[in-house]
């Protein structure tokens, strides 16, 4: 399913410094995006029998807000634009959630969505910079924030106004390297560095608070010197408001703890850790498709 | 003038370039050097202390390199290899990022420090990663030339530096052999020894020991283990009848293994004696020389092994596996599992 192309966005506008300006759509359109992205991802997974549906669905609104909600600076059809913002979906099993968006903005051919994970095709289950628009290899947890910090530091050293975004899983925050990167970002005052933690509360084997409590990630990032806040990660208005604090963080990097539901949009997958990488059978597929007819995002 | 330390030579060379190139960045995970004091003082914006956070240092280096920076990362050998191996694999090697990874104190270089600080597996580990160049310069001149290479032709390069100063070997000639990755620094007859870094100098001592007996031992500095120029290596070794490798690494998968693989791939079949460390950890006090001696790697014992090898006798080389060489009774009593 391809989102109908909006001709107005072809030929991205640039500001006077040559920085691409973000693309902003209204709430109704964004809500349509939510339905479109979930259905497209579901189709990709059902066709290939590969991929991670629940993890992708929990960060869907985060990614859609970045690309269509007026946050990320990128140029349509120009994945290597020198002044683009950088984005790393560090929870690499959900990097596939980017692919329909990358096709929509002209980075990768749309037919590649149908080829997802097919032999010798472009789009892999996990992402790497061989795919246009991907700024880091992901799949092993705990790398993305550090690489993003490197991007942010280089941008500042070069006097460029580029930001670096890293979408982390909450369970990814078990990796100690995340906290090394958190120290680094705060020490260097990288206020052009943003992390969004997809706080869906689940690891593969159960709830994070039962496995090994992560407790308040907002307080942890704040204690590490970040400007941190928690928001409803399925609310465009809440996410846009949170991203709106970029540039107003008193010189601190920004941590947005997005409270989300793993599997959001497919009732029987929601909050169920066993669905991490399980494939629906025929009956479950029909139920899922029925669920996906209804838009689960209301604000 | 005292022989300079490899690390000071390397850093000074980077410093000279960094003065006129703001894209040159030096990251040190809390390992100092005299030359680094000047770098920090004069180019504070190009020096980054990432904390004792080797994993994040490598990830940050990837982001910097992908933004066009020329990045040198630097730490104690043990911690910039095993500690952040996965970061080197994913963020640097798999993304083909031209970052220089400098390790200091390779092998048993951190005298008396024991298994946490010894790096007796880094050759096996790093050469297993696709796209990583592995270099072990044998003197200050080679170190300087290598630093220049890192600036002029950035690539993912693992640079192994020794803690102690190494006596000059090349006397102005290293630039002529740099790109071949190896140099026959002493031509011999029938038998030769390959080594690099600290033990290369010991190999030269062994050559001196054997010469009065009429054994003319060729000595080859294989300073770039990867990529290994197998053709050049085979051509260099072809006229020797027997070959010895000498390394300060556990033998499994290390320097000698790389040479054996290259010879096999070149269909050059020669008896080869691998001298190195047994596959165990080294807890014993007594310093680098003591551990080397215990493992049969002091010059006299190396010479003895070579004599026996030439004569075709059974070798005296220790082959223990596990931590079976613990000789201090108190330690042995405290670690019953070691037996």
């Amino acid at each position: 399913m391809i989102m109908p192309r909006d001709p107005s966005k072809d030929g991205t506008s640039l500001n006077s410094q040559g920085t691409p300006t973000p693309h902003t759509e209204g709430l109704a359109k964004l809500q349509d995006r939510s339905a479109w992205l979930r259905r497209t991802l579901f189709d990709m997974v059902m066709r290939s029998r590969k991929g991670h549906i629940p993890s992708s669905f929990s960060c869907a609104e985060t990614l859609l807000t970045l690309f269509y909600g007026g946050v990320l600076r990128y140029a349509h059809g120009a994945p290597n634009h020198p002044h683009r913002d950088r984005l790393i979906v560090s929870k690499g099993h959900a990097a596939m959630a980017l692919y329909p968006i990358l096709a929509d903005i002209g980075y990768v051919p749309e037919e590649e969505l149908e080829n997802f994970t097919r032999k010798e095709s472009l789009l892999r289950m996990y992402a790497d910079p061989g795919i246009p628009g991907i700024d880091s290899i992901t799949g092993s947890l705990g790398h993305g924030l550090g690489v993003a910090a490197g991007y942010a530091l280089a941008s500042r050293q070069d006097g460029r106004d580029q930001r670096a975004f890293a979408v982390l899983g909450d369970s990814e925050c078990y990796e100690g390297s995340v906290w090394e990167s958190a120290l680094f970002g705060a020490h260097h005052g990288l206020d052009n560095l943003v992390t969004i933690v997809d706080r869906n509360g689940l690891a593969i084997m159960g709830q994070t608070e039962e496995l090994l409590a992560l407790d308040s990630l907002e307080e942890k990032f704040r204690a590490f010197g970040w400007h941190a806040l928690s928001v409803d990660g399925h609310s465009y208005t809440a996410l846009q408001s949170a991203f709106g604090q970029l540039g107003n963080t008193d010189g601190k990097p920004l941590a947005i703890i997005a409270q989300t539901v793993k599997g959001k949009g497919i009732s029987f997958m929601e909050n169920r850790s066993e669905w991490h990488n399980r494939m629906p059978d025929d009956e479950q597929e029909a139920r899922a498709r029925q669920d996906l007819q209804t838009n689960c995002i209301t604000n | 003038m005292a022989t300079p330390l490899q690390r000071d030579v390397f850093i000074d060379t980077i410093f000279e370039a960094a003065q006129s190139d703001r894209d040159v960045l030096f990251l040190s995970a809390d390992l100092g050097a005299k030359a680094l004091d000047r770098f920090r003082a004069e180019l504070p914006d190009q020096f980054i202390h990432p904390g004792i956070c080797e994993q994040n240092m490598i990830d940050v280096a990837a982001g910097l390199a992908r933004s066009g920076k020329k990045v040198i990362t630097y730490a104690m050998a043990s911690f910039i290899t095993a500690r952040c191996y996965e970061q080197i694999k994913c963020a640097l090697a798999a993304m083909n990022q031209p970052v220089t990874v400098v390790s200091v104190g390779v092998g048993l270089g951190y005298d008396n420090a024991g298994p946490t600080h010894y790096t007796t597996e880094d050759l096996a580990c790093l050469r297993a990663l696709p796209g990583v160049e592995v270099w072990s310069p044998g003197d200050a001149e080679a170190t300087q030339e290598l630093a220049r290479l890192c600036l002029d032709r950035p690539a993912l390069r693992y640079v192994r530096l020794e803690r102690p100063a190494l006596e000059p070997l090349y006397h102005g000639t290293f630039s002529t052999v740099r790109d071949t990755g190896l140099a026959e620094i002493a031509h011999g007859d029938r038998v030769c020894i390959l080594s690099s870094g600290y033990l290369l100098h010991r190999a030269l001592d062994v050559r001196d020991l054997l010469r009065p007996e009429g054994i003319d031992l060729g000595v080859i500095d294989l300073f770039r283990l990867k990529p290994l120029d197998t053709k050049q290596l085979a051509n260099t070794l072809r006229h020797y009848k027997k070959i010895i490798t000498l390394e300060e690494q556990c033998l499994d998968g290390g320097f000698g293994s790389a040479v054996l693989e290259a010879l096999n791939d070149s269909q050059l079949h020669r008896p080869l004696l691998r001298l190195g460390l047994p596959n165990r950890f080294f807890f014993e006090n007594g310093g680098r020389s003591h551990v080397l001696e215990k493992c049969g790697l002091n010059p006299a014992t190396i010479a003895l092994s070579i004599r026996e090898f030439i004569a075709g006798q059974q070798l005296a080389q220790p082959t223990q596996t596990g931590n079976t060489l613990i000789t201090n009774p108190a330690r042995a009593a405290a670690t019953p599992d070691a037996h």
Side-chain angles (χ1 to χ4, degrees), chain B residues 55-105:
Chain B
Q55 299 175 74
N56 183 58
M57 174 170 74
I58 298 297
D59 281 336
V60 166
L64 291 168
R66 283 184 56 81
S67 303
K69 301 297 180 189
K70 297 165 190 166
V71 189
I72 317 294
T73 58
Y74 171 88
M76 287 164 74
S78 182
F79 309 127
I80 201 168
T81 53
R83 182 63 177 238
C84 51
Y85 187 68
E86 216 244 356
Q87 279 74 16
I88 296 173
K89 171 188 159 185
C90 295
L92 299 186
M95 292 208 288
N96 194 24
Q97 290 308 297
V99 169
T100 305
V101 178
V102 183
S103 73
V104 177

XYZ file of all heavy atoms in Angstrom, chain B residues 55-105:
373
model
N 33.987 1.639 24.622
C 32.903 1.289 23.692
C 32.328 2.546 23.049
O 32.165 2.631 21.837
C 31.806 0.525 24.439
C 32.275 -0.770 25.056
C 31.169 -1.410 25.883
O 30.222 -1.956 25.333
N 31.269 -1.306 27.182
N 32.005 3.518 23.897
C 31.444 4.758 23.355
C 32.473 5.501 22.506
O 32.122 6.103 21.486
C 30.954 5.651 24.489
C 30.291 6.913 23.970
O 29.323 6.846 23.217
N 30.830 8.062 24.318
N 33.740 5.433 22.902
C 34.776 6.109 22.113
C 34.758 5.614 20.661
O 34.834 6.411 19.725
C 36.160 5.880 22.723
C 37.299 6.443 21.865
S 38.892 6.436 22.689
C 39.307 4.699 22.622
N 34.642 4.306 20.491
C 34.664 3.763 19.135
C 33.389 4.140 18.378
O 33.434 4.503 17.197
C 34.855 2.224 19.172
C 36.209 1.864 19.813
C 34.735 1.623 17.778
C 37.435 2.342 19.069
N 32.237 4.084 19.048
C 30.997 4.478 18.379
C 31.031 5.962 17.980
O 30.642 6.334 16.875
C 29.788 4.193 19.276
C 29.377 2.722 19.257
O 29.678 2.031 18.266
O 28.739 2.266 20.226
N 31.501 6.795 18.894
C 31.614 8.229 18.585
C 32.568 8.427 17.405
O 32.300 9.220 16.494
C 32.096 9.020 19.824
C 32.548 10.423 19.447
C 30.981 9.099 20.875
N 33.660 7.679 17.422
C 34.637 7.785 16.321
C 33.971 7.475 14.981
O 34.271 8.116 13.966
C 35.804 6.838 16.559
N 33.052 6.509 14.983
C 32.353 6.171 13.735
C 31.517 7.345 13.252
O 31.535 7.689 12.065
C 31.475 4.938 13.951
N 30.794 7.983 14.162
C 29.981 9.146 13.785
C 30.838 10.293 13.298
O 30.500 10.983 12.329
N 31.969 10.489 13.946
C 32.890 11.561 13.526
C 33.470 11.249 12.141
O 33.532 12.121 11.268
C 34.024 11.707 14.545
C 33.640 12.266 15.928
C 34.801 12.083 16.909
C 33.257 13.745 15.836
N 33.893 10.008 11.953
C 34.511 9.633 10.673
C 33.490 9.734 9.541
O 33.821 10.171 8.433
C 35.083 8.215 10.757
N 32.257 9.342 9.806
C 31.230 9.440 8.775
C 30.890 10.893 8.464
O 30.257 11.179 7.448
C 29.989 8.649 9.172
C 30.167 7.140 8.967
C 28.911 6.346 9.268
N 27.757 6.770 8.503
C 27.498 6.415 7.238
N 28.341 5.627 6.591
N 26.418 6.840 6.630
N 31.310 11.782 9.344
C 31.129 13.214 9.085
C 32.372 13.828 8.453
O 32.466 15.049 8.326
C 30.799 13.942 10.401
O 29.661 13.395 11.018
N 33.350 13.000 8.108
C 34.528 13.505 7.402
C 35.737 13.777 8.274
O 36.745 14.304 7.798
N 35.669 13.439 9.545
C 36.810 13.693 10.433
C 37.866 12.591 10.297
O 37.549 11.442 9.981
C 36.348 13.763 11.890
C 35.305 14.854 12.164
C 35.865 16.231 11.904
C 34.834 17.311 12.175
N 35.310 18.637 11.713
N 39.119 12.974 10.549
C 40.216 12.001 10.564
C 40.463 11.651 12.028
O 41.016 12.457 12.772
C 41.463 12.596 9.920
C 41.252 12.930 8.444
C 42.339 13.835 7.909
C 41.949 14.323 6.514
N 42.793 15.453 6.069
N 40.044 10.468 12.402
C 39.956 10.151 13.827
C 41.019 9.146 14.255
O 41.192 8.096 13.632
C 38.563 9.575 14.168
C 38.408 9.450 15.677
C 37.456 10.465 13.595
N 41.728 9.498 15.325
C 42.668 8.586 15.961
C 42.080 8.227 17.329
O 41.791 9.123 18.124
C 44.048 9.250 16.198
C 44.509 10.085 14.993
C 45.070 8.221 16.637
C 44.807 9.321 13.754
N 41.890 6.941 17.595
C 41.482 6.517 18.931
C 42.664 5.813 19.582
O 43.451 5.151 18.907
C 40.278 5.555 18.880
O 40.628 4.415 18.071
C 39.068 6.229 18.263
N 42.763 5.954 20.902
C 44.015 5.590 21.565
C 43.717 5.139 22.989
O 42.965 5.807 23.716
C 44.884 6.845 21.544
C 46.167 6.862 22.324
C 47.343 6.405 21.751
C 46.211 7.413 23.599
C 48.544 6.481 22.449
C 47.411 7.493 24.304
C 48.573 7.026 23.723
O 49.762 7.105 24.403
N 44.264 4.012 23.374
C 44.075 3.519 24.747
C 45.054 2.381 25.003
O 45.797 1.962 24.101
C 42.644 3.040 24.977
N 45.036 1.891 26.229
C 45.851 0.724 26.558
C 45.371 -0.459 25.720
O 44.168 -0.632 25.498
C 45.751 0.404 28.050
C 46.521 1.404 28.895
S 46.072 1.358 30.641
C 46.863 -0.159 31.122
N 46.336 -1.263 25.279
C 46.049 -2.291 24.273
C 44.881 -3.189 24.660
O 43.987 -3.459 23.869
C 47.306 -3.130 24.026
N 44.887 -3.634 25.884
C 43.888 -4.607 26.296
C 42.482 -4.030 26.223
O 41.516 -4.735 25.930
C 44.201 -5.055 27.724
O 43.284 -6.021 28.141
N 42.375 -2.730 26.480
C 41.047 -2.137 26.614
C 40.517 -1.556 25.307
O 39.323 -1.293 25.180
C 41.067 -1.097 27.735
C 41.663 -1.654 28.999
C 42.701 -1.017 29.657
C 41.214 -2.866 29.506
C 43.262 -1.566 30.800
C 41.761 -3.422 30.646
C 42.792 -2.770 31.299
N 41.394 -1.321 24.349
C 40.906 -0.790 23.071
C 40.725 -1.922 22.051
O 40.457 -1.687 20.879
C 41.850 0.313 22.516
C 41.109 1.202 21.509
C 43.122 -0.285 21.937
C 41.837 2.453 21.130
N 40.867 -3.147 22.540
C 40.644 -4.294 21.644
C 39.492 -5.144 22.172
O 38.359 -5.024 21.726
C 41.928 -5.115 21.490
O 42.438 -5.457 22.775
C 42.980 -4.346 20.729
N 39.784 -5.956 23.212
C 38.754 -6.876 23.697
C 37.553 -6.134 24.268
O 36.408 -6.529 24.070
C 39.342 -7.809 24.750
N 37.794 -5.039 24.981
C 36.710 -4.320 25.643
C 35.688 -3.775 24.647
O 34.499 -3.696 24.924
C 37.296 -3.173 26.480
C 36.269 -2.379 27.265
C 35.579 -3.273 28.275
N 34.647 -2.553 29.087
C 34.715 -2.495 30.421
N 35.680 -3.105 31.070
N 33.805 -1.844 31.107
N 36.148 -3.364 23.496
C 35.251 -2.710 22.531
C 35.303 -3.430 21.185
O 35.097 -2.825 20.140
C 35.627 -1.247 22.368
S 37.362 -0.987 22.014
N 35.556 -4.727 21.257
C 35.690 -5.508 20.015
C 34.428 -5.416 19.171
O 34.483 -5.266 17.951
C 35.964 -6.966 20.390
C 36.302 -7.877 19.233
C 37.491 -7.712 18.538
C 35.443 -8.886 18.831
C 37.819 -8.547 17.483
C 35.752 -9.723 17.783
C 36.944 -9.548 17.114
O 37.264 -10.376 16.071
N 33.286 -5.473 19.814
C 32.033 -5.446 19.078
C 31.804 -4.086 18.409
O 31.230 -4.009 17.321
C 30.896 -5.782 20.039
C 29.806 -6.594 19.405
C 28.500 -5.860 19.358
O 28.413 -4.747 19.878
O 27.563 -6.435 18.793
N 32.268 -3.028 19.072
C 32.152 -1.703 18.455
C 33.084 -1.595 17.252
O 32.728 -0.997 16.230
C 32.476 -0.612 19.480
C 31.325 -0.268 20.423
C 31.068 -1.322 21.487
O 31.901 -2.191 21.739
N 29.913 -1.249 22.126
N 34.286 -2.167 17.377
C 35.202 -2.148 16.228
C 34.589 -2.952 15.077
O 34.619 -2.537 13.921
C 36.589 -2.708 16.621
C 37.247 -1.794 17.669
C 37.487 -2.824 15.393
C 38.547 -2.344 18.237
N 33.972 -4.082 15.436
C 33.351 -4.920 14.407
C 32.190 -4.186 13.708
O 32.166 -4.090 12.480
C 32.841 -6.208 15.056
C 31.976 -7.078 14.163
C 31.362 -8.239 14.950
C 30.135 -8.782 14.243
N 29.453 -9.832 15.023
N 31.261 -3.688 14.482
C 30.026 -3.145 13.890
C 30.214 -1.711 13.385
O 29.951 -1.419 12.221
C 28.884 -3.184 14.900
S 28.398 -4.856 15.362
N 30.648 -0.834 14.292
C 30.644 0.593 13.954
C 31.792 0.965 13.014
O 31.676 1.902 12.229
C 30.695 1.438 15.225
N 32.905 0.245 13.119
C 34.048 0.596 12.254
C 34.171 -0.363 11.071
O 34.117 0.057 9.917
C 35.350 0.621 13.059
C 35.406 1.635 14.209
C 36.810 1.660 14.818
C 35.002 3.027 13.755
N 34.341 -1.653 11.348
C 34.633 -2.586 10.249
C 33.428 -2.764 9.326
O 33.547 -2.639 8.108
C 35.094 -3.927 10.811
N 32.264 -3.047 9.894
C 31.103 -3.314 9.045
C 30.652 -2.065 8.289
O 29.992 -2.170 7.261
C 29.952 -3.873 9.877
N 30.990 -0.896 8.821
C 30.640 0.352 8.104
C 31.839 0.929 7.360
O 31.772 2.025 6.816
C 30.065 1.387 9.072
C 28.696 0.983 9.613
S 27.663 2.395 10.053
C 28.477 2.962 11.532
N 32.940 0.180 7.374
C 34.132 0.571 6.624
C 34.565 1.995 6.940
O 34.780 2.815 6.040
C 33.867 0.412 5.116
C 35.145 0.470 4.310
O 36.217 0.183 4.829
N 35.036 0.875 3.048
N 34.721 2.293 8.205
C 35.088 3.648 8.619
C 36.597 3.783 8.808
O 37.215 2.982 9.521
C 34.357 4.023 9.910
C 32.869 4.214 9.695
C 32.595 5.174 8.559
O 32.951 6.349 8.626
N 31.989 4.689 7.491
N 37.202 4.777 8.187
C 38.662 4.920 8.211
C 39.184 5.514 9.511
O 39.715 6.620 9.547
C 38.925 5.863 7.028
C 37.690 6.707 6.959
C 36.545 5.827 7.381
N 39.044 4.782 10.579
C 39.481 5.237 11.897
C 40.772 4.502 12.276
O 40.911 3.311 12.002
C 38.375 4.970 12.943
C 38.878 5.187 14.362
C 37.155 5.847 12.665
N 41.699 5.226 12.885
C 42.926 4.601 13.371
C 42.723 4.178 14.823
O 42.344 4.999 15.656
C 44.112 5.581 13.279
O 44.215 6.053 11.929
C 45.408 4.911 13.684
N 42.957 2.920 15.098
C 42.808 2.392 16.455
C 44.214 2.067 16.970
O 44.852 1.128 16.503
C 41.926 1.126 16.452
C 41.815 0.546 17.862
C 40.531 1.437 15.887
N 44.689 2.891 17.895
C 46.063 2.735 18.386
C 46.051 2.079 19.752
O 45.413 2.578 20.682
C 46.768 4.106 18.503
C 48.214 3.919 18.936
C 46.686 4.868 17.185
N 46.759 0.955 19.860
C 46.850 0.292 21.153
C 48.284 0.361 21.642
O 49.225 0.198 20.873
C 46.371 -1.154 21.051
O 47.309 -1.951 20.381
N 48.425 0.608 22.918
C 49.750 0.757 23.517
C 49.974 -0.330 24.561
O 49.095 -0.592 25.382
C 49.902 2.147 24.172
C 51.253 2.269 24.871
C 49.738 3.249 23.130
N 51.152 -0.938 24.492
C 51.497 -1.959 25.491
C 51.034 -3.332 25.094
O 50.538 -4.094 25.922
